[in-house]
């Protein structure tokens, strides 16, 4: 067997795997909206998709994870490697710029559509307990990112700078997603995200406001 045939087989298996995963997420979300979170079982989900229960757990650890679209896969290794390496270049890329690049690229790979966004909004409204699971997943990724920032910057594992950067950029990412799918938006996700980062950059680099000579100082009592 030549290399081209082997590559074709790998490509076919990967496409089939992605199709199965997409079907599991889509059907799980539809069943949730139709019957509620407790109104269907993993077995019923598998029957609709046409796979075995054992195969299901090759994709997702639980029914809830299938609804949320999460798997055991972590953040892309290439993105994380590029993020770390950008701090070792000459000159090193500033942390703010490196995080912006990381989040913009990660956001562009999510591939979420407006329909999926609206579906998840409806599911969270109907099944708010899923929010806790989503936040728990997000927290594990936040801890990973905090550690990577600390490593890149040569900081302690729980340094406040790393924690603050993770929190701020996590909030920007969530806000940018809402703005991206807002009615009337014609910007790309990257443009929305970078616009918010530019506002943040201005906020922390803008000069202090000028004080009028006639204005009372902090320690001066008003007349």
């Amino acid at each position: 067997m030549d290399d081209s045939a082997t590559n074709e087989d790998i490509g076919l298996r990967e496409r089939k795997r992605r199709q199965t995963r997409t079907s599991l997420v889509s059907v799980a979300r539809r069943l949730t909206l139709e019957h509620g979170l407790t109104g269907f079982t993993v077995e019923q989900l598998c029957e609709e998709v046409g796979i075995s229960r054992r195969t299901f757990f090759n994709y997702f650890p639980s029914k809830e994870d299938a609804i949320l679209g999460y798997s055991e896969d972590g953040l892309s290794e290439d993105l994380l490697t590029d993020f770390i390496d950008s701090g070792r270049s000459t000159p090193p890329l500033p942390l703010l710029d490196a995080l912006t690049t990381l989040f913009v690229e990660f956001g562009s790979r999510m591939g979420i559509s407006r329909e999926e966004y609206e579906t998840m909004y409806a599911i969270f409204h109907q099944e708010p307990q899923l929010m806790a699971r989503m936040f728990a997943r997000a927290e594990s990724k936040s801890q990973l990112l905090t550690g990577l920032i600390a490593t890149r910057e040569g900081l302690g594992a729980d340094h406040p700078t790393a924690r603050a950067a993770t929190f701020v950029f996590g909030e920007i990412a969530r806000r940018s997603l809402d703005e991206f799918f807002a009615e009337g938006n014609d910007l790309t996700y990257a443009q929305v995200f970078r616009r918010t980062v530019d506002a943040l950059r201005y906020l922390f680099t803008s000069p202090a406001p000028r004080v009028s000579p006639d204005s009372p100082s902090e320690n001066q009592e008003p007349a």
Side-chain angles (χ1 to χ4, degrees), residues 99 103 141-147 149 161-171 174:
L99 283 169
F103 274 80
K141 286 186 169 56
S142 293
Q143 291 174 1
L144 170 63
L145 180 59
T146 299
I149 293 171
T161 296
R163 287 189 280 109
T166 299
F167 174 78
V168 169
F169 270 80
E171 288 301 311
R174 283 186 280 273

PDB file of all heavy atoms in Angstrom, residues 99 103 141-147 149 161-171 174:
ATOM      1  N   LEU A  99      -1.683  36.970  23.568  1.00  0.00           N
ATOM      2  CA  LEU A  99      -2.994  36.466  23.997  1.00  0.00           C
ATOM      3  C   LEU A  99      -4.071  36.795  22.961  1.00  0.00           C
ATOM      4  O   LEU A  99      -4.965  35.984  22.712  1.00  0.00           O
ATOM      5  CB  LEU A  99      -3.363  37.056  25.353  1.00  0.00           C
ATOM      6  CG  LEU A  99      -2.657  36.445  26.556  1.00  0.00           C
ATOM      7  CD1 LEU A  99      -2.900  37.277  27.808  1.00  0.00           C
ATOM      8  CD2 LEU A  99      -3.114  35.009  26.789  1.00  0.00           C
ATOM      9  N   PHE A 103      -6.367  33.893  21.225  1.00  0.00           N
ATOM     10  CA  PHE A 103      -7.825  33.851  21.342  1.00  0.00           C
ATOM     11  C   PHE A 103      -8.512  34.044  19.995  1.00  0.00           C
ATOM     12  O   PHE A 103      -9.543  33.420  19.728  1.00  0.00           O
ATOM     13  CB  PHE A 103      -8.304  34.906  22.343  1.00  0.00           C
ATOM     14  CG  PHE A 103      -8.308  34.443  23.765  1.00  0.00           C
ATOM     15  CD1 PHE A 103      -7.132  34.422  24.506  1.00  0.00           C
ATOM     16  CD2 PHE A 103      -9.477  34.004  24.372  1.00  0.00           C
ATOM     17  CE1 PHE A 103      -7.129  33.984  25.815  1.00  0.00           C
ATOM     18  CE2 PHE A 103      -9.485  33.562  25.683  1.00  0.00           C
ATOM     19  CZ  PHE A 103      -8.307  33.548  26.409  1.00  0.00           C
ATOM     20  N   LYS A 141      -9.959  24.880  31.642  1.00  0.00           N
ATOM     21  CA  LYS A 141      -9.163  25.498  30.577  1.00  0.00           C
ATOM     22  C   LYS A 141      -8.520  26.791  31.062  1.00  0.00           C
ATOM     23  O   LYS A 141      -7.415  27.142  30.640  1.00  0.00           O
ATOM     24  CB  LYS A 141     -10.030  25.738  29.345  1.00  0.00           C
ATOM     25  CG  LYS A 141     -10.349  24.462  28.569  1.00  0.00           C
ATOM     26  CD  LYS A 141     -11.088  24.758  27.296  1.00  0.00           C
ATOM     27  CE  LYS A 141     -11.151  23.520  26.403  1.00  0.00           C
ATOM     28  NZ  LYS A 141     -11.729  22.358  27.022  1.00  0.00           N
ATOM     29  N   SER A 142      -9.211  27.504  31.948  1.00  0.00           N
ATOM     30  CA  SER A 142      -8.641  28.729  32.507  1.00  0.00           C
ATOM     31  C   SER A 142      -7.384  28.422  33.318  1.00  0.00           C
ATOM     32  O   SER A 142      -6.391  29.159  33.262  1.00  0.00           O
ATOM     33  CB  SER A 142      -9.670  29.442  33.396  1.00  0.00           C
ATOM     34  OG  SER A 142     -10.744  29.931  32.629  1.00  0.00           O
ATOM     35  N   GLN A 143      -7.427  27.341  34.073  1.00  0.00           N
ATOM     36  CA  GLN A 143      -6.260  26.951  34.865  1.00  0.00           C
ATOM     37  C   GLN A 143      -5.087  26.594  33.954  1.00  0.00           C
ATOM     38  O   GLN A 143      -3.936  26.932  34.244  1.00  0.00           O
ATOM     39  CB  GLN A 143      -6.617  25.774  35.773  1.00  0.00           C
ATOM     40  CG  GLN A 143      -7.588  26.141  36.893  1.00  0.00           C
ATOM     41  CD  GLN A 143      -8.034  24.940  37.700  1.00  0.00           C
ATOM     42  OE1 GLN A 143      -7.613  23.818  37.444  1.00  0.00           O
ATOM     43  NE2 GLN A 143      -8.893  25.165  38.682  1.00  0.00           N
ATOM     44  N   LEU A 144      -5.397  25.909  32.848  1.00  0.00           N
ATOM     45  CA  LEU A 144      -4.349  25.567  31.883  1.00  0.00           C
ATOM     46  C   LEU A 144      -3.730  26.828  31.307  1.00  0.00           C
ATOM     47  O   LEU A 144      -2.502  26.967  31.233  1.00  0.00           O
ATOM     48  CB  LEU A 144      -4.934  24.707  30.764  1.00  0.00           C
ATOM     49  CG  LEU A 144      -4.023  24.464  29.550  1.00  0.00           C
ATOM     50  CD1 LEU A 144      -2.775  23.698  29.970  1.00  0.00           C
ATOM     51  CD2 LEU A 144      -4.780  23.715  28.456  1.00  0.00           C
ATOM     52  N   LEU A 145      -4.580  27.777  30.899  1.00  0.00           N
ATOM     53  CA  LEU A 145      -4.079  29.017  30.306  1.00  0.00           C
ATOM     54  C   LEU A 145      -3.267  29.825  31.319  1.00  0.00           C
ATOM     55  O   LEU A 145      -2.225  30.384  30.978  1.00  0.00           O
ATOM     56  CB  LEU A 145      -5.245  29.849  29.774  1.00  0.00           C
ATOM     57  CG  LEU A 145      -4.865  31.184  29.121  1.00  0.00           C
ATOM     58  CD1 LEU A 145      -3.927  30.950  27.940  1.00  0.00           C
ATOM     59  CD2 LEU A 145      -6.111  31.938  28.684  1.00  0.00           C
ATOM     60  N   THR A 146      -3.737  29.887  32.566  1.00  0.00           N
ATOM     61  CA  THR A 146      -2.995  30.611  33.605  1.00  0.00           C
ATOM     62  C   THR A 146      -1.594  30.041  33.766  1.00  0.00           C
ATOM     63  O   THR A 146      -0.609  30.785  33.880  1.00  0.00           O
ATOM     64  CB  THR A 146      -3.748  30.544  34.946  1.00  0.00           C
ATOM     65  OG1 THR A 146      -5.037  31.154  34.795  1.00  0.00           O
ATOM     66  CG2 THR A 146      -2.987  31.274  36.038  1.00  0.00           C
ATOM     67  N   GLY A 147      -1.491  28.727  33.755  1.00  0.00           N
ATOM     68  CA  GLY A 147      -0.184  28.081  33.858  1.00  0.00           C
ATOM     69  C   GLY A 147       0.708  28.395  32.669  1.00  0.00           C
ATOM     70  O   GLY A 147       1.918  28.614  32.822  1.00  0.00           O
ATOM     71  N   ILE A 149       0.556  31.094  30.738  1.00  0.00           N
ATOM     72  CA  ILE A 149       0.965  32.493  30.832  1.00  0.00           C
ATOM     73  C   ILE A 149       2.115  32.631  31.825  1.00  0.00           C
ATOM     74  O   ILE A 149       3.109  33.323  31.560  1.00  0.00           O
ATOM     75  CB  ILE A 149      -0.224  33.381  31.249  1.00  0.00           C
ATOM     76  CG1 ILE A 149      -1.287  33.411  30.145  1.00  0.00           C
ATOM     77  CG2 ILE A 149       0.250  34.801  31.558  1.00  0.00           C
ATOM     78  CD1 ILE A 149      -2.576  34.085  30.565  1.00  0.00           C
ATOM     79  N   THR A 161      -0.712  38.297  37.955  1.00  0.00           N
ATOM     80  CA  THR A 161      -0.711  38.762  36.563  1.00  0.00           C
ATOM     81  C   THR A 161      -1.281  37.700  35.637  1.00  0.00           C
ATOM     82  O   THR A 161      -2.090  37.994  34.750  1.00  0.00           O
ATOM     83  CB  THR A 161       0.724  39.127  36.112  1.00  0.00           C
ATOM     84  OG1 THR A 161       1.192  40.226  36.886  1.00  0.00           O
ATOM     85  CG2 THR A 161       0.755  39.493  34.634  1.00  0.00           C
ATOM     86  N   ALA A 162      -0.870  36.455  35.830  1.00  0.00           N
ATOM     87  CA  ALA A 162      -1.366  35.359  34.997  1.00  0.00           C
ATOM     88  C   ALA A 162      -2.859  35.151  35.218  1.00  0.00           C
ATOM     89  O   ALA A 162      -3.625  34.947  34.266  1.00  0.00           O
ATOM     90  CB  ALA A 162      -0.593  34.077  35.310  1.00  0.00           C
ATOM     91  N   ARG A 163      -3.296  35.203  36.471  1.00  0.00           N
ATOM     92  CA  ARG A 163      -4.719  35.010  36.767  1.00  0.00           C
ATOM     93  C   ARG A 163      -5.558  36.151  36.207  1.00  0.00           C
ATOM     94  O   ARG A 163      -6.639  35.936  35.655  1.00  0.00           O
ATOM     95  CB  ARG A 163      -4.927  34.874  38.277  1.00  0.00           C
ATOM     96  CG  ARG A 163      -4.443  33.532  38.830  1.00  0.00           C
ATOM     97  CD  ARG A 163      -4.839  33.320  40.285  1.00  0.00           C
ATOM     98  NE  ARG A 163      -3.942  34.033  41.184  1.00  0.00           N
ATOM     99  CZ  ARG A 163      -4.262  35.102  41.890  1.00  0.00           C
ATOM    100  NH1 ARG A 163      -5.472  35.632  41.791  1.00  0.00           N
ATOM    101  NH2 ARG A 163      -3.383  35.680  42.700  1.00  0.00           N
ATOM    102  N   ALA A 164      -5.067  37.381  36.327  1.00  0.00           N
ATOM    103  CA  ALA A 164      -5.805  38.539  35.820  1.00  0.00           C
ATOM    104  C   ALA A 164      -5.917  38.487  34.304  1.00  0.00           C
ATOM    105  O   ALA A 164      -6.985  38.778  33.736  1.00  0.00           O
ATOM    106  CB  ALA A 164      -5.116  39.828  36.254  1.00  0.00           C
ATOM    107  N   ALA A 165      -4.827  38.116  33.628  1.00  0.00           N
ATOM    108  CA  ALA A 165      -4.854  38.029  32.166  1.00  0.00           C
ATOM    109  C   ALA A 165      -5.857  36.983  31.697  1.00  0.00           C
ATOM    110  O   ALA A 165      -6.614  37.207  30.740  1.00  0.00           O
ATOM    111  CB  ALA A 165      -3.457  37.693  31.643  1.00  0.00           C
ATOM    112  N   THR A 166      -5.891  35.839  32.376  1.00  0.00           N
ATOM    113  CA  THR A 166      -6.841  34.790  32.015  1.00  0.00           C
ATOM    114  C   THR A 166      -8.276  35.259  32.193  1.00  0.00           C
ATOM    115  O   THR A 166      -9.130  35.042  31.325  1.00  0.00           O
ATOM    116  CB  THR A 166      -6.593  33.540  32.881  1.00  0.00           C
ATOM    117  OG1 THR A 166      -5.272  33.054  32.639  1.00  0.00           O
ATOM    118  CG2 THR A 166      -7.594  32.438  32.548  1.00  0.00           C
ATOM    119  N   PHE A 167      -8.541  35.911  33.308  1.00  0.00           N
ATOM    120  CA  PHE A 167      -9.899  36.388  33.581  1.00  0.00           C
ATOM    121  C   PHE A 167     -10.333  37.430  32.558  1.00  0.00           C
ATOM    122  O   PHE A 167     -11.425  37.343  31.987  1.00  0.00           O
ATOM    123  CB  PHE A 167      -9.970  36.985  34.988  1.00  0.00           C
ATOM    124  CG  PHE A 167     -11.295  37.623  35.310  1.00  0.00           C
ATOM    125  CD1 PHE A 167     -12.382  36.833  35.653  1.00  0.00           C
ATOM    126  CD2 PHE A 167     -11.459  38.996  35.245  1.00  0.00           C
ATOM    127  CE1 PHE A 167     -13.620  37.416  35.931  1.00  0.00           C
ATOM    128  CE2 PHE A 167     -12.680  39.588  35.526  1.00  0.00           C
ATOM    129  CZ  PHE A 167     -13.769  38.791  35.865  1.00  0.00           C
ATOM    130  N   VAL A 168      -9.482  38.410  32.299  1.00  0.00           N
ATOM    131  CA  VAL A 168      -9.837  39.497  31.391  1.00  0.00           C
ATOM    132  C   VAL A 168     -10.082  38.974  29.981  1.00  0.00           C
ATOM    133  O   VAL A 168     -11.083  39.301  29.342  1.00  0.00           O
ATOM    134  CB  VAL A 168      -8.738  40.583  31.388  1.00  0.00           C
ATOM    135  CG1 VAL A 168      -8.970  41.584  30.254  1.00  0.00           C
ATOM    136  CG2 VAL A 168      -8.705  41.310  32.725  1.00  0.00           C
ATOM    137  N   PHE A 169      -9.185  38.130  29.487  1.00  0.00           N
ATOM    138  CA  PHE A 169      -9.347  37.633  28.125  1.00  0.00           C
ATOM    139  C   PHE A 169     -10.493  36.639  28.009  1.00  0.00           C
ATOM    140  O   PHE A 169     -11.133  36.544  26.956  1.00  0.00           O
ATOM    141  CB  PHE A 169      -8.032  37.034  27.618  1.00  0.00           C
ATOM    142  CG  PHE A 169      -7.158  38.049  26.935  1.00  0.00           C
ATOM    143  CD1 PHE A 169      -6.386  38.927  27.679  1.00  0.00           C
ATOM    144  CD2 PHE A 169      -7.134  38.156  25.558  1.00  0.00           C
ATOM    145  CE1 PHE A 169      -5.606  39.888  27.069  1.00  0.00           C
ATOM    146  CE2 PHE A 169      -6.354  39.109  24.932  1.00  0.00           C
ATOM    147  CZ  PHE A 169      -5.589  39.979  25.675  1.00  0.00           C
ATOM    148  N   GLY A 170     -10.781  35.910  29.071  1.00  0.00           N
ATOM    149  CA  GLY A 170     -11.953  35.039  29.050  1.00  0.00           C
ATOM    150  C   GLY A 170     -13.233  35.837  28.913  1.00  0.00           C
ATOM    151  O   GLY A 170     -14.149  35.474  28.161  1.00  0.00           O
ATOM    152  N   GLU A 171     -13.306  36.951  29.634  1.00  0.00           N
ATOM    153  CA  GLU A 171     -14.483  37.821  29.544  1.00  0.00           C
ATOM    154  C   GLU A 171     -14.578  38.485  28.174  1.00  0.00           C
ATOM    155  O   GLU A 171     -15.672  38.621  27.610  1.00  0.00           O
ATOM    156  CB  GLU A 171     -14.426  38.894  30.637  1.00  0.00           C
ATOM    157  CG  GLU A 171     -14.692  38.361  32.029  1.00  0.00           C
ATOM    158  CD  GLU A 171     -16.050  37.695  32.137  1.00  0.00           C
ATOM    159  OE1 GLU A 171     -17.054  38.298  31.697  1.00  0.00           O
ATOM    160  OE2 GLU A 171     -16.103  36.569  32.646  1.00  0.00           O
ATOM    161  N   ARG A 174     -15.995  35.890  25.741  1.00  0.00           N
ATOM    162  CA  ARG A 174     -17.441  35.683  25.875  1.00  0.00           C
ATOM    163  C   ARG A 174     -18.231  36.874  25.337  1.00  0.00           C
ATOM    164  O   ARG A 174     -19.248  36.713  24.645  1.00  0.00           O
ATOM    165  CB  ARG A 174     -17.786  35.422  27.348  1.00  0.00           C
ATOM    166  CG  ARG A 174     -17.447  34.013  27.813  1.00  0.00           C
ATOM    167  CD  ARG A 174     -17.943  33.754  29.221  1.00  0.00           C
ATOM    168  NE  ARG A 174     -17.045  34.336  30.212  1.00  0.00           N
ATOM    169  CZ  ARG A 174     -15.976  33.710  30.700  1.00  0.00           C
ATOM    170  NH1 ARG A 174     -15.654  32.518  30.261  1.00  0.00           N
ATOM    171  NH2 ARG A 174     -15.219  34.284  31.619  1.00  0.00           N
TER     172      ARG A 174
END
